[in-house]
Amino acid sequence: MERSLKRLGRDQLDVYLLHNPSLECLLAGEVYETLELLKKDGKIGHHGISTADPEAAMNALDRGIEVLAMPYKPVSLGGPAPGRG
């Protein structure tokens, strides 16, 4: 974290987002403790995850995650592709 902050010329990251953490990792709970410690230490302003797994998303929300990013793919919703119908 310290190297990243120094490289970016920042004292704090506004948002720290974990990309696709496994459900097993989230269920273990250590990741939440680490994120809260980084926030308490002033290294990050907010924390969150990006996931396509609804169960992982619900676990993260239940554990107090502040930012949740989930993929949105309009062409996978069953309609025609944009410009095709």
Side-chain angles (χ1 to χ4, degrees), residues 17-21 23 26 48-61 65-74 76-77:
L17 195 65
L18 299 175
H19 292 277
N20 294 316
L23 181 58
L26 296 175
I49 69 166
S50 67
T51 183
D53 180 350
E55 194 173 350
M58 290 306 299
N59 178 270
L61 290 170
I65 211 80
E66 298 172 308
V67 179
L68 175 62
M70 296 189 77
Y72 174 71
K73 300 176 187 175
S76 68
L77 297 177

Side-chain angles (χ1 to χ4, degrees), residues 23-43:
L23 181 58
E24 292 78 22
C25 174
L26 296 175
L27 290 173
E30 293 174 8
V31 68
Y32 301 111
E33 295 168 13
T34 301
L35 291 170
E36 281 300 319
L37 183 60
L38 289 169
K39 186 173 179 177
K40 179 182 173 195
D41 290 346
K43 304 298 180 190

